[in-house]
Amino acid sequence: MGFTEAVRTVLTQKYATFSGRASRSEYWWFFLFYMLLAIAIAVLAFVVGSFSGQQGEVSSGVILVMVIGGLLALALVLPILSLQVRRFHDRNISGWWYLALIILGMVPYIGPVTSLSITIISVLRGTDGPNRFGQDPLRPEARAEVFA
C-alpha cells in the first residue's frame, strides 16, 4: 500500500472503523501524512507570525492558522484512534489494550514506557494469515486451518 492509497483508505473508507486489521504500511504512511500536516501548519504559523507588525504580540493570522490546525487535529482524532486499534488487531491484540495503555500513559514516569510499547506494537509484523479480528490485510486469500 502506497502513501496516497493509505491516506485515502484511512480518511474515506475506514474513517471510524474499529474492526478489522491495518497493515504496517497503512499505519506508517498515514502517520507520515499526519506528521507532514503538523509540520506544514507549524511552518505556516511561523511564517505568518514572522510577518506580523509588532514584536511580542500574537497576530490574528497566527491565531487563524492555529485554529485551523486545531480543527484539523480534532477531525483526525477518530481516524487515528481507529487506525491504531486496527493495528493492534493485526498483532492479534484487543483494542482495549490500547485504551489501557493510553490511561496508564497519564501516570507519571509510566507514560514514556507506554508510548514505547505502543510504538513497538506498531512496528512489529502482524500475524500471518487470519486471526480473530479478520483476514490478513497483506494476504486476504489465506485461510486458517484451525482456530484455538
Side-chain angles (χ1 to χ4, degrees), residues 22-70:
S23 65
R24 284 186 294 180
S25 62
E26 179 182 355
Y27 177 81
W28 288 109
W29 281 124
F30 190 77
F31 185 80
L32 176 65
F33 165 75
Y34 184 73
M35 288 295 112
L36 290 175
L37 188 64
I39 290 169
I41 290 171
V43 167
L44 184 62
F46 178 76
V47 168
V48 169
S50 65
F51 288 117
S52 63
Q54 297 184 1
Q55 188 71 11
E57 291 183 13
V58 178
S59 70
S60 60
V62 173
I63 293 173
L64 178 66
V65 170
M66 297 313 288
V67 166
I68 291 171

mmCIF file of all heavy atoms in Angstrom, residues 22-70:
data_model
loop_
_atom_site.group_PDB
_atom_site.id
_atom_site.type_symbol
_atom_site.label_atom_id
_atom_site.label_comp_id
_atom_site.label_asym_id
_atom_site.label_seq_id
_atom_site.Cartn_x
_atom_site.Cartn_y
_atom_site.Cartn_z
ATOM 1 N N ALA A 22 -5.149 -3.475 10.200
ATOM 2 C CA ALA A 22 -4.416 -2.492 9.403
ATOM 3 C C ALA A 22 -2.969 -2.950 9.266
ATOM 4 O O ALA A 22 -2.324 -3.299 10.256
ATOM 5 C CB ALA A 22 -4.472 -1.119 10.060
ATOM 6 N N SER A 23 -2.474 -2.933 8.061
ATOM 7 C CA SER A 23 -1.088 -3.337 7.825
ATOM 8 C C SER A 23 -0.132 -2.253 8.314
ATOM 9 O O SER A 23 -0.522 -1.120 8.572
ATOM 10 C CB SER A 23 -0.866 -3.595 6.331
ATOM 11 O OG SER A 23 -1.026 -2.387 5.614
ATOM 12 N N ARG A 24 1.125 -2.640 8.436
ATOM 13 C CA ARG A 24 2.137 -1.662 8.862
ATOM 14 C C ARG A 24 2.260 -0.527 7.874
ATOM 15 O O ARG A 24 2.399 0.631 8.276
ATOM 16 C CB ARG A 24 3.507 -2.346 9.019
ATOM 17 C CG ARG A 24 3.631 -3.178 10.263
ATOM 18 C CD ARG A 24 5.030 -3.693 10.421
ATOM 19 N NE ARG A 24 5.364 -4.631 9.350
ATOM 20 C CZ ARG A 24 6.513 -5.242 9.234
ATOM 21 N NH1 ARG A 24 7.467 -5.014 10.099
ATOM 22 N NH2 ARG A 24 6.740 -6.084 8.262
ATOM 23 N N SER A 25 2.212 -0.848 6.592
ATOM 24 C CA SER A 25 2.354 0.215 5.595
ATOM 25 C C SER A 25 1.207 1.204 5.681
ATOM 26 O O SER A 25 1.425 2.412 5.595
ATOM 27 C CB SER A 25 2.444 -0.376 4.189
ATOM 28 O OG SER A 25 1.268 -1.082 3.861
ATOM 29 N N GLU A 26 -0.011 0.735 5.886
ATOM 30 C CA GLU A 26 -1.152 1.648 6.034
ATOM 31 C C GLU A 26 -0.951 2.556 7.242
ATOM 32 O O GLU A 26 -1.153 3.769 7.168
ATOM 33 C CB GLU A 26 -2.445 0.840 6.193
ATOM 34 C CG GLU A 26 -3.682 1.671 6.365
ATOM 35 C CD GLU A 26 -4.930 0.828 6.564
ATOM 36 O OE1 GLU A 26 -4.864 -0.412 6.480
ATOM 37 O OE2 GLU A 26 -5.985 1.423 6.816
ATOM 38 N N TYR A 27 -0.506 1.976 8.341
ATOM 39 C CA TYR A 27 -0.309 2.742 9.572
ATOM 40 C C TYR A 27 0.788 3.791 9.411
ATOM 41 O O TYR A 27 0.592 4.967 9.713
ATOM 42 C CB TYR A 27 0.029 1.796 10.726
ATOM 43 C CG TYR A 27 0.304 2.510 12.012
ATOM 44 C CD1 TYR A 27 -0.723 2.944 12.822
ATOM 45 C CD2 TYR A 27 1.615 2.775 12.420
ATOM 46 C CE1 TYR A 27 -0.480 3.613 14.005
ATOM 47 C CE2 TYR A 27 1.870 3.446 13.598
ATOM 48 C CZ TYR A 27 0.819 3.857 14.384
ATOM 49 O OH TYR A 27 1.072 4.531 15.551
ATOM 50 N N TRP A 28 1.945 3.371 8.933
ATOM 51 C CA TRP A 28 3.082 4.292 8.892
ATOM 52 C C TRP A 28 2.958 5.330 7.797
ATOM 53 O O TRP A 28 3.436 6.453 7.950
ATOM 54 C CB TRP A 28 4.398 3.516 8.792
ATOM 55 C CG TRP A 28 4.689 2.839 10.082
ATOM 56 C CD1 TRP A 28 4.638 1.499 10.339
ATOM 57 C CD2 TRP A 28 5.026 3.457 11.327
ATOM 58 N NE1 TRP A 28 4.930 1.259 11.657
ATOM 59 C CE2 TRP A 28 5.174 2.438 12.293
ATOM 60 C CE3 TRP A 28 5.207 4.778 11.735
ATOM 61 C CZ2 TRP A 28 5.503 2.694 13.606
ATOM 62 C CZ3 TRP A 28 5.539 5.034 13.058
ATOM 63 C CH2 TRP A 28 5.684 4.003 13.971
ATOM 64 N N TRP A 29 2.314 5.024 6.669
ATOM 65 C CA TRP A 29 2.079 6.045 5.654
ATOM 66 C C TRP A 29 1.136 7.112 6.180
ATOM 67 O O TRP A 29 1.333 8.302 5.932
ATOM 68 C CB TRP A 29 1.539 5.443 4.369
ATOM 69 C CG TRP A 29 2.569 4.785 3.494
ATOM 70 C CD1 TRP A 29 2.551 3.500 3.042
ATOM 71 C CD2 TRP A 29 3.764 5.367 2.961
ATOM 72 N NE1 TRP A 29 3.660 3.258 2.271
ATOM 73 C CE2 TRP A 29 4.418 4.387 2.200
ATOM 74 C CE3 TRP A 29 4.339 6.629 3.054
ATOM 75 C CZ2 TRP A 29 5.612 4.625 1.538
ATOM 76 C CZ3 TRP A 29 5.539 6.861 2.392
ATOM 77 C CH2 TRP A 29 6.162 5.866 1.644
ATOM 78 N N PHE A 30 0.085 6.687 6.909
ATOM 79 C CA PHE A 30 -0.820 7.681 7.461
ATOM 80 C C PHE A 30 -0.133 8.489 8.567
ATOM 81 O O PHE A 30 -0.362 9.689 8.702
ATOM 82 C CB PHE A 30 -2.103 7.037 8.001
ATOM 83 C CG PHE A 30 -3.140 8.060 8.354
ATOM 84 C CD1 PHE A 30 -3.884 8.669 7.370
ATOM 85 C CD2 PHE A 30 -3.337 8.443 9.665
ATOM 86 C CE1 PHE A 30 -4.819 9.638 7.681
ATOM 87 C CE2 PHE A 30 -4.270 9.414 9.991
ATOM 88 C CZ PHE A 30 -5.011 10.015 8.985
ATOM 89 N N PHE A 31 0.720 7.838 9.347
ATOM 90 C CA PHE A 31 1.488 8.549 10.368
ATOM 91 C C PHE A 31 2.372 9.615 9.720
ATOM 92 O O PHE A 31 2.466 10.752 10.212
ATOM 93 C CB PHE A 31 2.344 7.561 11.170
ATOM 94 C CG PHE A 31 3.085 8.168 12.315
ATOM 95 C CD1 PHE A 31 2.450 8.418 13.508
ATOM 96 C CD2 PHE A 31 4.432 8.481 12.195
ATOM 97 C CE1 PHE A 31 3.135 8.979 14.574
ATOM 98 C CE2 PHE A 31 5.127 9.045 13.250
ATOM 99 C CZ PHE A 31 4.474 9.294 14.447
ATOM 100 N N LEU A 32 3.020 9.286 8.600
ATOM 101 C CA LEU A 32 3.833 10.258 7.862
ATOM 102 C C LEU A 32 2.971 11.418 7.368
ATOM 103 O O LEU A 32 3.366 12.583 7.492
ATOM 104 C CB LEU A 32 4.537 9.582 6.687
ATOM 105 C CG LEU A 32 5.344 10.503 5.774
ATOM 106 C CD1 LEU A 32 6.530 11.107 6.525
ATOM 107 C CD2 LEU A 32 5.811 9.754 4.540
ATOM 108 N N PHE A 33 1.789 11.114 6.832
ATOM 109 C CA PHE A 33 0.865 12.160 6.394
ATOM 110 C C PHE A 33 0.519 13.092 7.547
ATOM 111 O O PHE A 33 0.544 14.321 7.392
ATOM 112 C CB PHE A 33 -0.405 11.514 5.815
ATOM 113 C CG PHE A 33 -1.555 12.467 5.664
ATOM 114 C CD1 PHE A 33 -1.575 13.398 4.639
ATOM 115 C CD2 PHE A 33 -2.615 12.434 6.546
ATOM 116 C CE1 PHE A 33 -2.635 14.280 4.499
ATOM 117 C CE2 PHE A 33 -3.679 13.299 6.422
ATOM 118 C CZ PHE A 33 -3.687 14.235 5.395
ATOM 119 N N TYR A 34 0.217 12.535 8.699
ATOM 120 C CA TYR A 34 -0.161 13.335 9.859
ATOM 121 C C TYR A 34 1.003 14.228 10.312
ATOM 122 O O TYR A 34 0.808 15.400 10.633
ATOM 123 C CB TYR A 34 -0.622 12.419 10.992
ATOM 124 C CG TYR A 34 -1.131 13.163 12.195
ATOM 125 C CD1 TYR A 34 -2.356 13.810 12.161
ATOM 126 C CD2 TYR A 34 -0.392 13.223 13.367
ATOM 127 C CE1 TYR A 34 -2.836 14.501 13.259
ATOM 128 C CE2 TYR A 34 -0.854 13.910 14.467
ATOM 129 C CZ TYR A 34 -2.074 14.547 14.408
ATOM 130 O OH TYR A 34 -2.538 15.234 15.494
ATOM 131 N N MET A 35 2.204 13.687 10.342
ATOM 132 C CA MET A 35 3.371 14.476 10.751
ATOM 133 C C MET A 35 3.678 15.584 9.737
ATOM 134 O O MET A 35 4.007 16.714 10.131
ATOM 135 C CB MET A 35 4.604 13.573 10.912
ATOM 136 C CG MET A 35 4.565 12.686 12.125
ATOM 137 S SD MET A 35 4.605 13.650 13.643
ATOM 138 C CE MET A 35 2.983 13.344 14.283
ATOM 139 N N LEU A 36 3.577 15.289 8.452
ATOM 140 C CA LEU A 36 3.801 16.322 7.429
ATOM 141 C C LEU A 36 2.760 17.430 7.535
ATOM 142 O O LEU A 36 3.089 18.615 7.381
ATOM 143 C CB LEU A 36 3.776 15.703 6.031
ATOM 144 C CG LEU A 36 4.951 14.801 5.669
ATOM 145 C CD1 LEU A 36 4.716 14.157 4.302
ATOM 146 C CD2 LEU A 36 6.251 15.562 5.703
ATOM 147 N N LEU A 37 1.524 17.063 7.811
ATOM 148 C CA LEU A 37 0.470 18.052 8.001
ATOM 149 C C LEU A 37 0.755 18.933 9.216
ATOM 150 O O LEU A 37 0.627 20.156 9.151
ATOM 151 C CB LEU A 37 -0.881 17.350 8.153
ATOM 152 C CG LEU A 37 -2.125 18.221 8.171
ATOM 153 C CD1 LEU A 37 -2.305 18.934 6.839
ATOM 154 C CD2 LEU A 37 -3.337 17.365 8.495
ATOM 155 N N ALA A 38 1.195 18.326 10.315
ATOM 156 C CA ALA A 38 1.515 19.092 11.527
ATOM 157 C C ALA A 38 2.695 20.028 11.289
ATOM 158 O O ALA A 38 2.681 21.189 11.724
ATOM 159 C CB ALA A 38 1.812 18.137 12.680
ATOM 160 N N ILE A 39 3.714 19.552 10.590
ATOM 161 C CA ILE A 39 4.878 20.389 10.292
ATOM 162 C C ILE A 39 4.486 21.546 9.382
ATOM 163 O O ILE A 39 4.921 22.687 9.592
ATOM 164 C CB ILE A 39 6.012 19.539 9.677
ATOM 165 C CG1 ILE A 39 6.597 18.613 10.741
ATOM 166 C CG2 ILE A 39 7.090 20.413 9.067
ATOM 167 C CD1 ILE A 39 7.523 17.551 10.193
ATOM 168 N N ALA A 40 3.643 21.275 8.385
ATOM 169 C CA ALA A 40 3.206 22.329 7.465
ATOM 170 C C ALA A 40 2.433 23.415 8.211
ATOM 171 O O ALA A 40 2.630 24.610 7.961
ATOM 172 C CB ALA A 40 2.351 21.735 6.351
ATOM 173 N N ILE A 41 1.590 23.026 9.142
ATOM 174 C CA ILE A 41 0.824 24.012 9.916
ATOM 175 C C ILE A 41 1.753 24.820 10.818
ATOM 176 O O ILE A 41 1.603 26.039 10.950
ATOM 177 C CB ILE A 41 -0.298 23.323 10.704
ATOM 178 C CG1 ILE A 41 -1.371 22.838 9.734
ATOM 179 C CG2 ILE A 41 -0.902 24.248 11.751
ATOM 180 C CD1 ILE A 41 -2.422 21.965 10.342
ATOM 181 N N ALA A 42 2.729 24.157 11.428
ATOM 182 C CA ALA A 42 3.673 24.874 12.288
ATOM 183 C C ALA A 42 4.514 25.863 11.488
ATOM 184 O O ALA A 42 4.738 27.003 11.930
ATOM 185 C CB ALA A 42 4.570 23.874 13.016
ATOM 186 N N VAL A 43 4.977 25.442 10.318
ATOM 187 C CA VAL A 43 5.769 26.339 9.465
ATOM 188 C C VAL A 43 4.913 27.505 8.994
ATOM 189 O O VAL A 43 5.368 28.666 8.997
ATOM 190 C CB VAL A 43 6.367 25.566 8.257
ATOM 191 C CG1 VAL A 43 6.910 26.501 7.206
ATOM 192 C CG2 VAL A 43 7.437 24.603 8.742
ATOM 193 N N LEU A 44 3.671 27.237 8.616
ATOM 194 C CA LEU A 44 2.764 28.305 8.185
ATOM 195 C C LEU A 44 2.520 29.304 9.320
ATOM 196 O O LEU A 44 2.542 30.520 9.105
ATOM 197 C CB LEU A 44 1.441 27.716 7.691
ATOM 198 C CG LEU A 44 0.437 28.699 7.116
ATOM 199 C CD1 LEU A 44 1.008 29.389 5.879
ATOM 200 C CD2 LEU A 44 -0.857 27.977 6.780
ATOM 201 N N ALA A 45 2.331 28.808 10.536
ATOM 202 C CA ALA A 45 2.142 29.701 11.682
ATOM 203 C C ALA A 45 3.397 30.531 11.940
ATOM 204 O O ALA A 45 3.311 31.725 12.247
ATOM 205 C CB ALA A 45 1.769 28.897 12.922
ATOM 206 N N PHE A 46 4.573 29.927 11.786
ATOM 207 C CA PHE A 46 5.821 30.656 11.974
ATOM 208 C C PHE A 46 5.989 31.743 10.920
ATOM 209 O O PHE A 46 6.379 32.871 11.231
ATOM 210 C CB PHE A 46 7.009 29.685 11.942
ATOM 211 C CG PHE A 46 8.331 30.364 12.075
ATOM 212 C CD1 PHE A 46 8.756 30.837 13.303
ATOM 213 C CD2 PHE A 46 9.148 30.535 10.969
ATOM 214 C CE1 PHE A 46 9.982 31.475 13.434
ATOM 215 C CE2 PHE A 46 10.367 31.174 11.087
ATOM 216 C CZ PHE A 46 10.788 31.646 12.316
ATOM 217 N N VAL A 47 5.693 31.401 9.667
ATOM 218 C CA VAL A 47 5.835 32.375 8.581
ATOM 219 C C VAL A 47 4.861 33.524 8.764
ATOM 220 O O VAL A 47 5.226 34.699 8.639
ATOM 221 C CB VAL A 47 5.641 31.688 7.216
ATOM 222 C CG1 VAL A 47 5.485 32.690 6.091
ATOM 223 C CG2 VAL A 47 6.795 30.747 6.924
ATOM 224 N N VAL A 48 3.615 33.208 9.087
ATOM 225 C CA VAL A 48 2.615 34.256 9.298
ATOM 226 C C VAL A 48 3.008 35.110 10.501
ATOM 227 O O VAL A 48 2.884 36.336 10.480
ATOM 228 C CB VAL A 48 1.206 33.644 9.482
ATOM 229 C CG1 VAL A 48 0.214 34.676 9.966
ATOM 230 C CG2 VAL A 48 0.732 33.032 8.173
ATOM 231 N N GLY A 49 3.530 34.488 11.545
ATOM 232 C CA GLY A 49 3.941 35.222 12.738
ATOM 233 C C GLY A 49 5.157 36.097 12.513
ATOM 234 O O GLY A 49 5.282 37.160 13.112
ATOM 235 N N SER A 50 6.057 35.676 11.636
ATOM 236 C CA SER A 50 7.258 36.475 11.399
ATOM 237 C C SER A 50 6.961 37.724 10.571
ATOM 238 O O SER A 50 7.729 38.674 10.602
ATOM 239 C CB SER A 50 8.325 35.628 10.709
ATOM 240 O OG SER A 50 7.905 35.246 9.421
ATOM 241 N N PHE A 51 5.854 37.740 9.861
ATOM 242 C CA PHE A 51 5.482 38.913 9.083
ATOM 243 C C PHE A 51 4.526 39.838 9.829
ATOM 244 O O PHE A 51 4.055 40.813 9.264
ATOM 245 C CB PHE A 51 4.848 38.500 7.751
ATOM 246 C CG PHE A 51 5.832 37.926 6.786
ATOM 247 C CD1 PHE A 51 5.713 36.621 6.354
ATOM 248 C CD2 PHE A 51 6.894 38.682 6.317
ATOM 249 C CE1 PHE A 51 6.623 36.076 5.467
ATOM 250 C CE2 PHE A 51 7.813 38.154 5.428
ATOM 251 C CZ PHE A 51 7.679 36.843 5.004
ATOM 252 N N SER A 52 4.240 39.510 11.097
ATOM 253 C CA SER A 52 3.350 40.399 11.852
ATOM 254 C C SER A 52 4.095 41.679 12.190
ATOM 255 O O SER A 52 5.314 41.707 12.310
ATOM 256 C CB SER A 52 2.849 39.712 13.117
ATOM 257 O OG SER A 52 3.933 39.434 13.972
ATOM 258 N N GLY A 53 3.345 42.737 12.380
ATOM 259 C CA GLY A 53 3.924 44.059 12.538
ATOM 260 C C GLY A 53 4.658 44.290 13.841
ATOM 261 O O GLY A 53 5.744 44.841 13.857
ATOM 262 N N GLN A 54 4.125 43.896 14.976
ATOM 263 C CA GLN A 54 4.717 44.269 16.256
ATOM 264 C C GLN A 54 5.356 43.069 16.943
ATOM 265 O O GLN A 54 4.859 41.952 16.865
ATOM 266 C CB GLN A 54 3.645 44.871 17.154
ATOM 267 C CG GLN A 54 3.066 46.150 16.563
ATOM 268 C CD GLN A 54 2.065 46.800 17.497
ATOM 269 O OE1 GLN A 54 1.826 46.315 18.584
ATOM 270 N NE2 GLN A 54 1.493 47.904 17.058
ATOM 271 N N GLN A 55 6.425 43.360 17.638
ATOM 272 C CA GLN A 55 7.173 42.333 18.343
ATOM 273 C C GLN A 55 6.458 41.984 19.649
ATOM 274 O O GLN A 55 5.997 42.850 20.367
ATOM 275 C CB GLN A 55 8.588 42.847 18.641
ATOM 276 C CG GLN A 55 9.526 41.822 19.195
ATOM 277 C CD GLN A 55 9.921 40.792 18.154
ATOM 278 O OE1 GLN A 55 9.662 40.934 16.980
ATOM 279 N NE2 GLN A 55 10.555 39.740 18.602
ATOM 280 N N GLY A 56 6.378 40.710 19.981
ATOM 281 C CA GLY A 56 5.818 40.288 21.254
ATOM 282 C C GLY A 56 4.319 40.071 21.250
ATOM 283 O O GLY A 56 3.758 39.627 22.239
ATOM 284 N N GLU A 57 3.643 40.361 20.170
ATOM 285 C CA GLU A 57 2.205 40.159 20.085
ATOM 286 C C GLU A 57 1.905 39.030 19.102
ATOM 287 O O GLU A 57 2.594 38.852 18.113
ATOM 288 C CB GLU A 57 1.495 41.428 19.619
ATOM 289 C CG GLU A 57 1.513 42.541 20.632
ATOM 290 C CD GLU A 57 0.724 43.755 20.160
ATOM 291 O OE1 GLU A 57 -0.034 43.634 19.174
ATOM 292 O OE2 GLU A 57 0.880 44.811 20.772
ATOM 293 N N VAL A 58 0.850 38.309 19.392
ATOM 294 C CA VAL A 58 0.415 37.239 18.501
ATOM 295 C C VAL A 58 -0.557 37.843 17.497
ATOM 296 O O VAL A 58 -1.562 38.444 17.873
ATOM 297 C CB VAL A 58 -0.258 36.103 19.295
ATOM 298 C CG1 VAL A 58 -0.743 35.017 18.354
ATOM 299 C CG2 VAL A 58 0.701 35.532 20.321
ATOM 300 N N SER A 59 -0.260 37.683 16.224
ATOM 301 C CA SER A 59 -1.108 38.283 15.201
ATOM 302 C C SER A 59 -2.373 37.451 15.005
ATOM 303 O O SER A 59 -2.432 36.277 15.359
ATOM 304 C CB SER A 59 -0.350 38.397 13.879
ATOM 305 O OG SER A 59 -0.152 37.118 13.322
ATOM 306 N N SER A 60 -3.360 38.072 14.420
ATOM 307 C CA SER A 60 -4.610 37.366 14.150
ATOM 308 C C SER A 60 -4.399 36.281 13.099
ATOM 309 O O SER A 60 -5.114 35.277 13.087
ATOM 310 C CB SER A 60 -5.690 38.347 13.705
ATOM 311 O OG SER A 60 -5.278 39.023 12.533
ATOM 312 N N GLY A 61 -3.418 36.448 12.225
ATOM 313 C CA GLY A 61 -3.100 35.411 11.235
ATOM 314 C C GLY A 61 -2.597 34.145 11.889
ATOM 315 O O GLY A 61 -2.963 33.037 11.485
ATOM 316 N N VAL A 62 -1.747 34.286 12.901
ATOM 317 C CA VAL A 62 -1.238 33.120 13.623
ATOM 318 C C VAL A 62 -2.384 32.414 14.347
ATOM 319 O O VAL A 62 -2.477 31.188 14.344
ATOM 320 C CB VAL A 62 -0.127 33.532 14.617
ATOM 321 C CG1 VAL A 62 0.279 32.367 15.497
ATOM 322 C CG2 VAL A 62 1.074 34.064 13.875
ATOM 323 N N ILE A 63 -3.258 33.210 14.950
ATOM 324 C CA ILE A 63 -4.405 32.622 15.650
ATOM 325 C C ILE A 63 -5.279 31.855 14.664
ATOM 326 O O ILE A 63 -5.726 30.745 14.952
ATOM 327 C CB ILE A 63 -5.201 33.715 16.395
ATOM 328 C CG1 ILE A 63 -4.353 34.274 17.532
ATOM 329 C CG2 ILE A 63 -6.518 33.163 16.916
ATOM 330 C CD1 ILE A 63 -4.960 35.473 18.221
ATOM 331 N N LEU A 64 -5.507 32.419 13.491
ATOM 332 C CA LEU A 64 -6.307 31.744 12.473
ATOM 333 C C LEU A 64 -5.660 30.428 12.040
ATOM 334 O O LEU A 64 -6.342 29.397 11.932
ATOM 335 C CB LEU A 64 -6.507 32.660 11.264
ATOM 336 C CG LEU A 64 -7.293 32.058 10.098
ATOM 337 C CD1 LEU A 64 -8.733 31.793 10.510
ATOM 338 C CD2 LEU A 64 -7.222 32.968 8.895
ATOM 339 N N VAL A 65 -4.351 30.442 11.803
ATOM 340 C CA VAL A 65 -3.649 29.223 11.401
ATOM 341 C C VAL A 65 -3.734 28.176 12.514
ATOM 342 O O VAL A 65 -3.962 26.994 12.241
ATOM 343 C CB VAL A 65 -2.180 29.532 11.042
ATOM 344 C CG1 VAL A 65 -1.380 28.258 10.865
ATOM 345 C CG2 VAL A 65 -2.108 30.380 9.786
ATOM 346 N N MET A 66 -3.585 28.596 13.758
ATOM 347 C CA MET A 66 -3.640 27.643 14.866
ATOM 348 C C MET A 66 -5.053 27.088 15.070
ATOM 349 O O MET A 66 -5.222 25.919 15.416
ATOM 350 C CB MET A 66 -3.119 28.280 16.148
ATOM 351 C CG MET A 66 -1.650 28.677 16.070
ATOM 352 S SD MET A 66 -0.552 27.414 15.384
ATOM 353 C CE MET A 66 -0.529 26.248 16.697
ATOM 354 N N VAL A 67 -6.070 27.899 14.845
ATOM 355 C CA VAL A 67 -7.451 27.405 14.936
ATOM 356 C C VAL A 67 -7.713 26.379 13.837
ATOM 357 O O VAL A 67 -8.305 25.316 14.088
ATOM 358 C CB VAL A 67 -8.454 28.576 14.863
ATOM 359 C CG1 VAL A 67 -9.871 28.087 14.617
ATOM 360 C CG2 VAL A 67 -8.409 29.390 16.138
ATOM 361 N N ILE A 68 -7.264 26.668 12.627
ATOM 362 C CA ILE A 68 -7.426 25.708 11.529
ATOM 363 C C ILE A 68 -6.665 24.417 11.841
ATOM 364 O O ILE A 68 -7.172 23.310 11.616
ATOM 365 C CB ILE A 68 -6.967 26.331 10.193
ATOM 366 C CG1 ILE A 68 -7.938 27.440 9.778
ATOM 367 C CG2 ILE A 68 -6.852 25.276 9.100
ATOM 368 C CD1 ILE A 68 -7.474 28.253 8.601
ATOM 369 N N GLY A 69 -5.451 24.548 12.366
ATOM 370 C CA GLY A 69 -4.677 23.367 12.748
ATOM 371 C C GLY A 69 -5.361 22.566 13.843
ATOM 372 O O GLY A 69 -5.378 21.331 13.808
ATOM 373 N N GLY A 70 -5.942 23.249 14.805
ATOM 374 C CA GLY A 70 -6.659 22.564 15.873
ATOM 375 C C GLY A 70 -7.886 21.837 15.360
ATOM 376 O O GLY A 70 -8.183 20.714 15.795
#
